[in-house]
Amino acid sequence: MHRINHGFLIGFIVFALSACAGMDGGGSGGASAPGEMEIRTGVVEQVTDTQVQTNHDTGVGAILGGLGGVALGSLIGRGTGRDVAMIAGALAGGVGGNYAEQRQYDKPQEAQQIIVRMKSGVLVSVTQPVNADLKPGTKVYIEGQGAGARVVPQND
């Protein structure tokens, strides 16, 4: 019975920590079928170097830290003191693991803000990772829309 309680406690802690993991917004917001992508054409008007903050918070750091904290907490004491040490270890490990993951992956990345004049005369701005082939006057495709849009040069 005691093992069942520990198994339940560990399972609950893992579940609770995984619920804290970041979720991707998903959803394209468009009416196109999965796998389809709108492609538009235009000419690059302006390219500005910038930086973007990444967001790779998958929650893996929190989960692994929490599991490590439970493992270390299980080595301390007996009975309810051990249970308290496991819970405290899970919480501290989860917070520490999440912090470590953010420090590793949430660093600003070099990017470009590209302004493209469409054939209709409308200006479209896209911020994306650096592409050295994009310069003012370059004919380009704009693939996708919203946060998933990318500017790629046309290969004539």
Side-chain angles (χ1 to χ4, degrees), residues 46-50 111-115 125-128:
Q46 178 180 341
V47 178
T48 306
D49 292 333
T50 187
Q112 293 174 317
Q113 179 186 28
I114 303 149
I115 298 178
S125 174
V126 176
T127 302
Q128 68 181 36

Side-chain angles (χ1 to χ4, degrees), residues 141-154:
Y141 295 115
I142 299 179
E143 299 175 344
Q145 58 187 344
R150 292 291 172 254
V151 178
V152 294
Q154 291 182 16

Side-chain angles (χ1 to χ4, degrees), residues 25-45:
S28 64
S32 60
E36 292 181 4
M37 182 183 324
E38 178 184 359
I39 299 177
R40 298 168 284 172
T41 61
V43 177
V44 174
E45 287 279 318

Side-chain angles (χ1 to χ4, degrees), residues 35-122:
E36 292 181 4
M37 182 183 324
E38 178 184 359
I39 299 177
R40 298 168 284 172
T41 61
V43 177
V44 174
E45 287 279 318
Q46 178 180 341
V47 178
T48 306
D49 292 333
T50 187
Q51 291 185 337
V52 292
Q53 189 72 23
T54 61
N55 186 10
H56 293 319
D57 295 334
T58 61
V60 174
I63 292 170
L64 293 177
L67 291 174
V70 167
L72 289 176
S74 70
L75 300 175
I76 299 172
R78 297 264 183 247
T80 57
R82 182 181 192 179
D83 293 342
V84 170
M86 289 172 63
I87 291 171
L91 293 174
V95 169
N98 188 50
Y99 178 75
E101 181 181 17
Q102 286 178 348
R103 288 201 40 134
Q104 177 66 29
Y105 293 109
D106 283 354
K107 297 177 182 173
Q109 301 291 320
E110 296 299 318
Q112 293 174 317
Q113 179 186 28
I114 303 149
I115 298 178
V116 177
R117 183 168 304 275
M118 308 304 293
K119 289 186 178 183
S120 64
V122 172

